[in-house]
Amino acid sequence: MVNFQSWRTRRFLGILVTLALVLPELVVCKEVEVLTNSWLVELEAPGGARVARDVAKRTGFTYVSPVLNSQTQLHLIHKGVHHARSKRSVPHTRLLKAHPYVKSAVQLTGYLRQKRGYKSLDAILTDFRLQKPKIVNYPVFERSKPKLPSDPDFDKEGYLRNTGQSGGVAGLDLNVVEAWEMGYTGTDVTTAIMDDGIDYLHPDLRHNYNAEHSYDFSSNDPYPYPRYTDTWFNSHGTRCAGEVSAARDKGNCGVGVAYGSKVADLRMLDQPFMTDLIEANLTGHMSNLPYIYSASWGPTDDGKTVDGRRNLSMRAIVNGVNNGRNGKGNIYVWASGDGGPNDDCNCDGYAASMWTISINSATNDGQTAGYDLSCSSTLASTFSNGKATSRDAGVATTDLYGNCTASHSGTSAAAPEAYGVFALALEANRNLNWREIQHLTGLTSKRNSLSDSNGVHAWKYSGAGLEFNHLVGYGVLDAALMVDLAHTWKGLPERFHCTAGSDSTERYFDMCNPIRITIDTDGCAGSDSEVNYLEHVQSFITLRATFRGDVTIYLTSPMSDTSMTLSQRPNEDDGKNSTTRWPFMTVHTWAELSHGRWTLEVILEPIRGLKTNYEEGVFKEWTLVMHGSKEQPYRDQPDNKAKHQKLYKPKRQHASGIAFRK
């Protein structure tokens, strides 16, 4: 007999899943836990693939893969269970646990992950209608090439060479052409594009496609080609890949920032819900092979979500930066997000992680885009869509089925440019580790003509003399400066982390009474984890407020550098859930001294026009964790490169051993 109630439930969930896929801005299952048809299974003893397949066969499951190459943890799916259901499938879990080889079995929950820069459905359809079938004419290669690329869309790529096209400011670009003239194109560097698939048959991409390192985590096979839809919804990864590795002088679209580099395709976004297990295998895939892992996606940019990595995916990324690339560490780059002034990227556990490099965007005239998220964890910026009045104001790159586009947008379009610049730097010095890429980013990024179009966030000098902005970090990447400094880079002292102090005294605060807490520290002096010179600083905070979105948090360092580690979020009206040990991170104290008094300020100020409503909160814990080095970070760097850095011709000398320029 047909269970009509069950059928209706599955049908309804199916409709919701479809809507979530086509219109990701709709958070359709935000308040309901979604259970997938995936299970994380742990064996009693190491058994490998043979035992895994035996367990799956005897329980009616299908074996997918080990978890992070483990001999005891497995990913199993059950094809008879719907991939998105509202209740746990207890009988299937019990069946797994009853197997004598199985130690534990957990049905995995699903959660939404959103592509950055995703446009409305109408905009996508309009863009699709503007596309014309492309006739590919393969060029005849000549021995001598022009100084500039001959690709037909190169003049539209203002982020490579800004001549003032599309209303831009001439000279405001990534300074990539100069890096090419120095001989760097990203040769033998691979970027893994974690997205919705790459059109690896595209004439501009197929010769730079790294099939060996590619995999489809949506359908579990080695052919991660994008799934066709009428709206070209799955063009996201192809567009990102073209910005990095589109070939030069092929006569098709434009050219990539690192046109000599390779791209690997790790397809995973084309599914309604993500799981911790998929993300773990994704970010840990062949970690000794790809140099850079790229992500232009994250939790929903709705101004309400506080979300990030789960346990398995965090383990994968930590393992990648510590052991990947034969110990040098993989480079994980994340788009900061497109939630605009109503959100804060420190609430995104991917972009705000110290293991990743968070990249924001600027327009071609030096202004910040309306969708830009701000946070103290953003390290630098690149360029995205410019003047909206110009048809070619978007980012020019490759598109599906051999086509080109000039309308790629959002921080999705900005972050791939950073992957390309980092590929050039890794070609210049293949010994660079993950920390050194972050140091080079902070030292060589420039203010140039960047400014906050809303006039809210001014440029400031840190206690170490580095100029930064809350929106765009240390400025726009400069490819030529980075490769020049990378070429003679001499390394960094060992990295440590120090728990500088903690305060768990419960404090109440309201609209008229903010709280101010201090921690005095010596940077764990005399211990094995002594930190004198800072890199990342984390504040693990637990609090609850009537409206959590009305809370602002500031952190001030001993060198008087103040970071806004949490800004107000007008859309977040959550008064029930606490922020529990969330790691608010700042990079604004880079290279500063750690010793002295750190001050945390928590302010509750209504922003919904309800000034008469009484609001209050309770603050429960602050733990300050500092990451950096015991010794001077730049002591071994050659002086002859100083003219290309921010650290030149001192007006004062900093204790790190480097002269910082005002």
Side-chain angles (χ1 to χ4, degrees):
M1 179 180 292
V2 177
N3 187 334
F4 286 96
Q5 184 61 39
S6 176
W7 178 87
R8 289 193 185 97
T9 301
R10 290 197 302 269
R11 179 63 175 166
F12 181 65
L13 281 172
I15 293 172
L16 291 181
V17 167
T18 302
L19 286 173
L21 184 63
V22 177
L23 300 174
E25 65 269 22
L26 299 178
V27 186
V28 296
C29 294
K30 183 175 177 61
E31 298 180 358
V32 179
E33 185 181 44
V34 176
L35 283 306
T36 68
N37 65 344
S38 291
W39 269 259
L40 171 63
V41 177
E42 185 173 2
L43 302 177
E44 290 283 359
R50 183 187 61 81
V51 173
R53 290 190 175 91
D54 181 72
V55 170
K57 181 179 180 180
R58 293 179 182 275
T59 55
F61 281 75
T62 300
Y63 171 59
V64 178
S65 67
V67 179
L68 299 175
N69 300 315
S70 171
Q71 291 293 309
T72 58
Q73 290 187 316
L74 320 170
H75 179 196
L76 302 184
I77 63 172
H78 198 295
K79 295 182 179 179
V81 177
H82 198 278
H83 62 266
R85 49 186 287 137
S86 58
K87 294 183 179 179
R88 293 190 176 274
S89 188
V90 177
H92 293 91
T93 303
R94 286 176 178 169
L95 184 62
L96 282 170
K97 289 181 176 179
H99 194 286
Y101 292 167
V102 173
K103 180 179 180 180
S104 64
V106 178
Q107 187 177 6
L108 296 174
T109 58
Y111 45 87
L112 294 176
R113 288 294 175 258
Q114 187 179 49
K115 303 171 188 177
R116 303 303 189 202
Y118 176 66
K119 300 180 295 183
S120 69
L121 185 61
D122 288 340
I124 285 183
L125 289 172
T126 301
D127 187 38
F128 172 71
R129 295 185 189 106
L130 290 173
Q131 298 283 0
K132 297 180 180 179
K134 189 164 186 66
I135 300 175
V136 178
N137 295 314
Y138 293 98
V140 177
F141 292 97
E142 299 177 359
R143 291 190 176 182
S144 60
K145 294 182 179 179
K147 183 178 180 181
L148 295 176
S150 61
D151 304 270
D153 285 352
F154 174 67
D155 289 338
K156 298 178 182 179
E157 296 179 292
Y159 55 94
L160 300 181
R161 182 172 178 263
N162 193 338
T163 60
Q165 68 270 54
S166 301
V169 173
L172 180 58
D173 53 44
L174 298 173
N175 202 16
V176 169
V177 174
E178 184 176 340
W180 293 342
E181 292 173 348
M182 295 163 66
Y184 299 107
T185 66
T187 303
D188 294 330
V189 178
T190 293
T191 297
I193 308 289
M194 304 184 292
D195 215 284
D196 57 12
I198 295 174
D199 179 5
Y200 47 76
L201 301 178
H202 194 291
D204 272 353
L205 296 174
R206 61 185 178 186
H207 297 295
N208 286 342
Y209 177 63
N210 189 329
E212 179 185 358
H213 300 162
S214 299
Y215 192 77
D216 193 326
F217 290 92
S218 291
S219 56
N220 298 305
D221 61 57
Y223 308 106
Y225 197 79
R227 180 178 61 87
Y228 173 77
T229 66
D230 289 338
T231 62
W232 284 24
F233 179 75
N234 292 316
S235 61
H236 196 257
T238 301
R239 295 180 174 191
C240 292
E243 291 181 78
V244 182
S245 295
R248 175 173 174 159
D249 300 328
K250 290 292 184 182
N252 297 297
C253 302
V255 60
V257 174
Y259 60 82
S261 67
K262 302 285 186 182
V263 287
D265 185 359
L266 302 183
R267 178 173 175 263
M268 40 68 72
L269 275 182
D270 184 21
Q271 49 194 328
F273 295 101
M274 191 58 54
T275 67
D276 186 21
L277 206 155
I278 292 175
E279 284 191 8
N281 282 330
L282 172 78
T283 52
H285 180 70
M286 293 186 173
S287 61
N288 270 332
L289 300 176
Y291 286 66
I292 304 166
Y293 289 78
S294 68
S296 289
W297 49 269
T300 308
D301 286 329
D302 57 2
K304 300 179 181 180
T305 303
V306 180
D307 196 7
R309 302 157 298 156
R310 270 62 171 180
N311 179 51
L312 291 174
S313 55
M314 181 177 68
R315 282 170 46 193
I317 292 178
V318 171
N319 180 69
V321 297
N322 286 323
N323 303 313
R325 230 167 25 102
N326 297 315
K328 298 182 183 69
N330 300 121
I331 315 302
Y332 292 92
V333 187
W334 237 270
S336 62
D338 298 332
N342 293 331
D343 205 350
D344 190 299
C345 44
N346 251 349
C347 295
D348 176 344
Y350 300 89
S353 169
M354 62 183 174
W355 309 116
T356 68
I357 301 176
S358 177
I359 297 295
N360 210 341
S361 69
T363 57
N364 60 353
D365 60 351
Q367 302 296 306
T368 52
Y371 51 76
D372 278 344
L373 277 176
S374 64
C375 65
S376 57
S377 55
T378 295
L379 196 57
S381 296
T382 54
F383 298 100
S384 189
N385 47 307
K387 299 288 188 181
T389 54
S390 172
R391 177 175 173 178
D392 295 332
V395 171
T397 181
T398 53
D399 212 346
L400 290 177
Y401 318 123
N403 282 278
C404 313
T405 182
S407 58
H408 194 26
S409 63
T411 53
S412 274
E417 298 166 17
Y419 320 153
V421 173
F422 298 152
L424 300 177
L426 287 171
E427 182 190 7
N429 186 342
R430 299 189 186 280
N431 291 318
L432 294 173
N433 63 34
W434 68 277
R435 289 173 58 215
E436 289 164 341
I437 287 290
Q438 295 202 23
H439 277 268
L440 288 170
T441 299
L443 294 177
T444 62
S445 296
K446 300 186 303 184
R447 175 177 178 174
N448 205 314
S449 301
L450 301 186
S451 62
D452 178 10
S453 55
N454 296 318
V456 176
H457 300 294
W459 283 88
K460 299 188 295 183
Y461 284 96
S462 71
L466 295 174
E467 194 174 19
F468 71 93
N469 182 282
H470 186 71
L471 264 173
V472 297
Y474 288 100
V476 64
L477 291 176
D478 188 304
L481 294 189
M482 183 173 283
V483 298
D484 195 28
L485 184 56
H487 180 67
T488 54
W489 185 259
K490 298 300 182 183
L492 291 169
E494 188 177 357
R495 178 180 184 270
F496 300 100
H497 71 271
C498 161
T499 300
S502 183
D503 190 314
S504 56
T505 303
E506 194 168 282
R507 296 173 171 85
Y508 289 88
F509 59 98
D510 57 30
M511 298 180 293
C512 301
N513 298 289
I515 59 175
R516 187 172 183 269
I517 310 170
T518 61
I519 289 178
D520 294 311
T521 180
D522 60 2
C524 301
S527 71
D528 293 337
S529 58
E530 183 173 348
V531 172
N532 295 320
Y533 303 94
L534 296 170
E535 293 174 10
H536 310 90
V537 176
Q538 293 176 300
S539 293
F540 290 82
I541 289 176
T542 300
L543 62 80
R544 188 180 70 249
T546 311
F547 289 103
R548 192 168 60 177
D550 288 351
V551 175
T552 306
I553 301 176
Y554 295 93
L555 178 68
T556 302
S557 73
M559 298 187 76
S560 301
D561 177 32
T562 299
S563 301
M564 182 165 61
T565 57
L566 177 64
S567 59
Q568 293 176 318
R569 305 204 303 165
N571 295 333
E572 186 182 4
D573 55 3
D574 192 343
K576 298 179 181 179
N577 295 323
S578 299
T579 297
T580 305
R581 288 193 57 80
W582 187 261
F584 295 99
M585 196 264 283
T586 181
V587 295
H588 294 167
T589 57
W590 203 271
E592 289 189 11
L593 291 169
S594 64
H595 298 198
R597 173 162 292 182
W598 292 80
T599 303
L600 189 79
E601 294 179 274
V602 182
I603 299 172
L604 181 61
E605 183 178 4
I607 50 178
R608 295 174 179 79
L610 304 176
K611 299 292 184 181
T612 58
N613 287 6
Y614 180 72
E615 295 188 21
E616 61 181 353
V618 56
F619 187 92
K620 297 185 176 181
E621 182 188 8
W622 169 35
T623 299
L624 180 65
V625 180
M626 305 183 300
H627 306 264
S629 59
K630 177 181 179 180
E631 300 166 336
Q632 298 171 352
Y634 308 124
R635 59 181 184 176
D636 297 327
Q637 303 311 320
D639 293 336
N640 63 341
K641 292 296 179 184
K643 64 181 179 180
H644 297 306
Q645 304 173 42
K646 296 177 179 180
L647 318 178
Y648 179 62
K649 292 184 179 178
K651 290 190 177 179
R652 61 192 180 95
Q653 185 79 16
H654 182 248
S656 63
I658 278 291
F660 290 93
R661 185 184 63 188
K662 283 266 187 177

